[in-house]
């Protein structure tokens, strides 16, 4: 291997060096000497660097380097020296001017490495992972802050936006700037402007509202050795024109994932709306799509409807049973995102069934999700009772299985393809465990239906779907809050789902 190939392959670190004193009595020794080694765990290559008096010519200094050993790197191992300050400064300027994503820049730099260097695992000048670029990008952003202190910087930024806004328009706005509230402890920032509030007021009257959170966008510095969890909440509207991107309304960045924090966020938005349109003319969207977070469910019910979860269930039961009062239809209806619902149902079902039975059980649960009336859902639950609570494959159990299977086969299987949803930690704050079915109308209604079923155990073959504990779990954790996750409050949501004809759901109850 030639000298350049070795330099491209090895990643050197110096372990000792020696400098000759100015008035040293040693006349023949080198001026500078250093020993280096390759940082790869199994590589024996070492280098000795020397600079002698003869090496110094005018403004040029020539160093002599002697290499010993052969390059030997383990497959998959990567090493890199620290990126020099000059290169680091260039990258910071690059990030500040282009706003390119760190991961994108990292892969761009990787492509520029020599093939020998890349194959050897040498990542000099790039870093062993994209975290190096993320750190440099973060440093570049911090350099643009108004103040090293985050809260002080945000306050200065808030005032700067308001000042710039006042200078550019003749009439001052009612809702000033973009950053509306800044809290230091717990950290929280609420953002929206007058234009987004007006958009929300006009569009949300006949459109669905969406609210979700993610914990992968914003990060705060470690506090007492721990990394605080910061979530980015976003409220968006469905665009009136089909196929267009959602319309952004408001944003919340917070480490306080509580009903109090999220409710204050929603109340701030409604207060800004009341400043523009008076409190008597506030908009109540017909529906809001959220994940299965208990915090979001309670917050929306409190702020928009001034009702508890129990009051919400009683109100929705009156609506789906045909006994709804006029005021029942004037309140917002929270609904869980179907992807989150199916992901949670998948986790629940996998605890009780093996792979063969699990797939059919998930198809069955999909039928319950898409029930658009109380009668349809109650008939599906009755079929579930016969399927999961019959010990033997009786005529009754086979009839229930065939009814479910026939309906599943009549539908487009693409509607039921499994999708992996990455759940955030706050999604596991499950709102179901606090709701017992006998305490609320849906639980009581469905319990009464299934209690009237007399199961038949006549048969010689054991029922492989027999699992009464799973059925009890569905009754307690799911069917007691059916309007929150099923299509009861949505109507026929997808054209691809066939109409629920009575013949599919005829149960011998």
């Amino acid at each position: 291997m030639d000298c350049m190939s070795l330099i491209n392959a090895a990643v050197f670190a110096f372990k000792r060096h020696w400098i000759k004193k100015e008035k040293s009595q040693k006349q023949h020794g080198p001026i500078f000497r250093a020993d280096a080694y390759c940082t790869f765990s199994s590589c024996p290559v070492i280098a000795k660097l020397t600079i002698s008096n003869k090496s110094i010519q005018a403004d040029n200094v020539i160093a002599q380097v002697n290499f010993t050993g052969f390059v030997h790197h383990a497959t998959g191992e990567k090493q890199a020296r620290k990126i020099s300050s000059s290169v680091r400064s260039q990258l910071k300027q690059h990030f500040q001017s282009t706003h390119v994503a760190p991961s994108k820049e990292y892969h761009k730099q990787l492509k520029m490495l020599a093939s020998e260097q890349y194959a050897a695992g040498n990542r000099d000048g790039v870093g062993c992972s994209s975290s190096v670029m993320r750190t440099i990008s973060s440093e570049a952003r911090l350099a643009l802050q108004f103040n090293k202190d985050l809260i002080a910087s945000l306050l200065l930024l808030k005032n700067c936006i308001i000042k710039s806004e006042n200078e550019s328009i003749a009439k001052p706005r009612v809702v000033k700037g973009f950053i509306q509230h800044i809290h230091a402890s717990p950290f929280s920032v609420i953002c929206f402007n007058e234009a987004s509030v007006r958009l929300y007021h006009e569009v949300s009257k006949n459109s669905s509202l969406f609210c979700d959170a993610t914990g992968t966008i914003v990060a705060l510095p470690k506090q007492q050795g721990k990394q605080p969890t910061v979530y980015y909440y976003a409220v968006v509207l469905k665009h009136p024109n089909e196929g267009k991107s959602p319309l952004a309304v408001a944003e919340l960045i917070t480490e306080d994932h509580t009903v109090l924090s999220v409710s204050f966020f929603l109340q701030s938005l409604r207060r800004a709306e009341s400043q523009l349109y008076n409190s008597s003319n506030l908009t109540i969207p017909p529906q809001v799509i959220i994940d299965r977070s208990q915090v979001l469910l309670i917050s929306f019910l409190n702020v928009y409807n001034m009702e508890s979860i129990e009051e919400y269930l009683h109100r929705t039961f009156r609506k789906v049973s045909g006994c709804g009062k006029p005021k029942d239809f004037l309140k917002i209806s929270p609904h869980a995102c179907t992807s989150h619902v199916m992901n949670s149902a998948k986790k629940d079902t996998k605890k009780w069934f093996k792979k063969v039975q699990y797939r059919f059980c998930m198809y069955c649960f999909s039928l319950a999700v898409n029930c658009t009336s109380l009668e349809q859902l109650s008939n599906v639950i009755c079929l579930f009772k016969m399927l999961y609570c019959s010990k033997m494959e009786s005529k009754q159990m086979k009839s229930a299985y065939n009814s479910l299977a026939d309906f599943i086969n009549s539908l487009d299987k693409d509607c039921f393809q499994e999708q992996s949803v990455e759940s955030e930690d706050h999604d596991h704050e499950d709102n179901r465990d606090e709701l017992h079915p006998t305490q609320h109308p849906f639980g009581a209604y469905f319990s009464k239906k299934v209690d009237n079923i007399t199961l038949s155990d006549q048969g010689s073959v054991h029922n492989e779907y027999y699992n009464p504990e799973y059925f009890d779990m569905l009754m307690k954790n799911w069917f007691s809050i059916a309007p929150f996750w099923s299509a009861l409050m949505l109507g026929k949501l997808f054209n691809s789902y066939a109409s629920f004809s009575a013949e599919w759901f005829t149960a011998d109850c």
Side-chain angles (χ1 to χ4, degrees):
M1 179 179 287
D2 59 41
C3 181
M4 289 306 300
S5 297
L6 189 147
I7 292 174
N8 282 334
V11 177
F12 289 104
F14 291 89
K15 59 182 179 181
R16 66 175 66 89
H17 68 276
W18 176 85
I19 301 175
K20 185 178 181 180
K21 294 181 180 180
E22 185 177 1
K23 296 181 180 181
S24 174
Q25 296 180 358
K26 297 180 180 179
Q27 300 297 323
H28 303 291
I31 297 175
F32 177 82
R33 183 177 69 237
D35 296 336
Y37 66 97
C38 182
T39 57
F40 281 86
S41 57
S42 59
C43 186
V45 173
I46 59 175
K48 294 184 179 295
L49 184 148
T50 58
I51 300 176
S52 62
N53 287 322
K54 297 179 181 179
S55 302
I56 302 175
Q57 301 173 358
D59 294 334
N60 296 326
V61 178
I62 300 175
Q64 181 181 351
V65 184
N66 295 319
F67 298 99
T68 58
F70 294 94
V71 174
H72 184 273
H73 296 171
T75 303
E77 184 179 359
K78 302 181 184 68
Q79 294 290 344
R81 297 184 68 187
K82 290 184 178 180
I83 296 178
S84 64
S85 59
S86 59
V87 175
R88 207 176 187 90
S89 297
Q90 293 175 3
L91 286 170
K92 287 180 183 178
Q93 293 176 4
H94 178 65
F95 282 121
Q96 289 172 353
S97 59
T98 61
H99 304 290
V100 65
S103 58
K104 188 175 182 180
E105 181 64 25
Y106 175 73
H107 288 95
K108 177 185 174 182
Q109 296 286 344
L110 279 181
K111 291 180 180 179
M112 296 171 63
L113 294 178
S115 58
E116 291 180 348
Q117 180 179 352
Y118 184 86
N122 183 344
R123 298 295 185 265
D124 275 350
V126 179
C128 292
S129 69
S130 59
S131 62
V132 176
M133 291 295 170
R134 287 198 297 269
T135 301
I136 297 174
S137 176
S138 177
E139 292 172 356
R141 291 195 302 271
L142 288 174
L144 297 176
Q145 285 187 186
F146 289 95
N147 192 289
K148 290 184 178 180
D149 181 77
L150 179 60
I151 300 301
S153 179
L154 286 170
L155 288 169
L156 290 170
L157 177 60
K158 176 183 177 180
N159 294 331
C160 181
I161 294 173
I162 295 174
K163 181 180 178 181
S164 176
E165 191 178 81
N166 291 336
E167 291 174 352
S168 61
I169 58 176
K171 183 180 179 181
R173 290 193 171 127
V174 177
V175 180
K176 301 182 183 299
F178 178 67
I179 301 175
Q180 303 301 326
H181 298 280
I182 302 170
H183 300 156
S185 181
F187 178 77
S188 181
V189 180
I190 296 175
C191 301
F192 55 80
N193 58 17
E194 185 171 312
S196 65
V197 176
R198 292 186 182 277
L199 184 70
Y200 160 79
H201 179 79
E202 296 298 331
V203 178
S204 65
K205 298 174 183 177
N206 302 302
S207 178
S208 296
L209 198 65
F210 296 84
C211 183
D212 200 2
T214 178
T216 59
I217 294 179
V218 182
L220 288 178
K222 288 185 177 181
Q223 299 174 4
Q224 299 178 348
K226 295 182 179 180
Q227 184 74 46
T229 303
V230 181
Y231 279 102
Y232 167 76
Y233 288 81
V235 175
V236 299
L237 281 167
K238 181 181 178 181
H239 201 288
N241 298 329
E242 196 68 31
K244 297 289 186 179
S245 299
L247 304 172
V249 175
E251 298 165 337
L252 166 67
I253 300 171
T254 184
E255 60 176 330
D256 184 31
H257 319 295
T258 62
V259 173
L260 183 63
S261 179
V262 177
S263 295
F264 178 74
F265 167 53
L266 298 175
Q267 287 168 347
S268 299
L269 176 63
R270 302 201 82 200
R271 181 177 181 275
E273 184 187 11
S274 68
Q275 291 176 323
L276 294 169
Y277 299 98
N278 297 323
S279 57
S280 60
N281 195 27
L282 294 179
T283 299
I284 299 181
Q287 179 187 84
V288 58
I289 306 298
I290 59 178
D291 58 23
R292 295 176 55 257
S293 165
Q294 181 181 356
V295 168
L296 285 177
L297 174 61
I298 296 176
S299 297
F300 272 96
L301 290 176
N302 282 345
V303 174
Y304 282 87
N305 297 348
M306 291 184 289
E307 64 181 0
S308 64
I309 293 179
E310 185 172 344
E311 290 170 333
Y312 157 74
L313 291 173
H314 280 284
R315 176 173 60 86
T316 52
F317 186 80
R318 290 195 298 269
K319 290 173 69 175
V320 299
S321 61
C323 302
K325 302 175 183 178
K327 63 179 182 180
D328 292 336
F329 296 86
L330 300 178
K331 297 183 177 182
I332 195 170
S333 293
H335 195 272
C337 165
T338 304
S339 294
H340 285 85
V341 168
M342 296 304 294
N343 191 54
S344 296
K346 178 175 70 174
K347 293 177 182 178
D348 284 346
T349 306
K350 279 187 174 180
K351 295 176 184 177
W352 300 96
F353 290 98
K354 296 180 180 179
K355 188 173 182 180
V356 177
Q357 293 82 25
Y358 153 77
R359 190 168 181 82
F360 182 76
C361 292
M362 283 302 298
Y363 282 138
C364 290
F365 187 84
S366 298
L367 300 183
V369 171
N370 290 280
C371 287
T372 57
S373 71
L374 194 61
E375 181 183 2
Q376 292 169 2
L377 184 55
S378 61
N379 284 332
V380 168
I381 294 173
C382 289
L383 293 175
F384 284 4
K385 171 81 173 182
M386 300 173 196
L387 178 67
Y388 298 128
C389 298
S390 298
K391 289 184 179 180
M392 311 302 290
E393 288 190 1
S394 62
K395 183 178 179 181
Q396 183 190 51
M397 176 268 168
K398 290 179 180 179
S399 176
Y401 176 88
N402 290 334
S403 295
L404 293 169
D406 288 344
F407 186 72
I408 291 170
N409 291 331
S410 71
L411 300 179
D412 183 0
K413 294 301 184 293
D414 291 339
C415 299
F416 298 111
Q417 286 183 352
E418 291 188 27
Q419 297 181 356
S420 178
V421 177
E422 184 178 351
S423 297
E424 306 289 355
D425 291 340
H426 74 293
D427 289 341
H428 299 298
E429 298 176 78
D430 205 339
N431 55 305
R432 303 171 304 169
D433 296 336
E434 297 181 1
L435 305 176
H436 195 276
T438 59
Q439 296 176 348
H440 300 294
F442 288 94
Y445 177 83
F446 294 135
S447 294
K448 185 177 180 180
K449 285 283 186 180
V450 298
D451 288 344
N452 292 332
I453 299 175
T454 302
L455 297 175
S456 172
D457 290 332
Q458 295 180 355
S460 57
V461 181
H462 178 73
N463 175 17
E464 61 182 1
Y465 292 95
Y466 176 68
N467 201 323
E469 291 85 2
Y470 174 71
F471 179 76
D472 291 341
M473 182 275 297
L474 291 178
M475 290 292 292
K476 177 182 177 181
N477 293 354
W478 290 95
F479 297 134
S480 60
I481 54 169
F484 179 54
W485 54 267
S486 70
L488 288 179
M489 303 297 294
L490 303 181
K492 295 175 181 177
L493 192 57
F494 303 105
N495 293 330
S496 56
Y497 294 157
S499 299
F500 281 35
S501 55
E503 58 182 321
W504 296 117
F505 298 100
T506 301
D508 185 16
C509 299

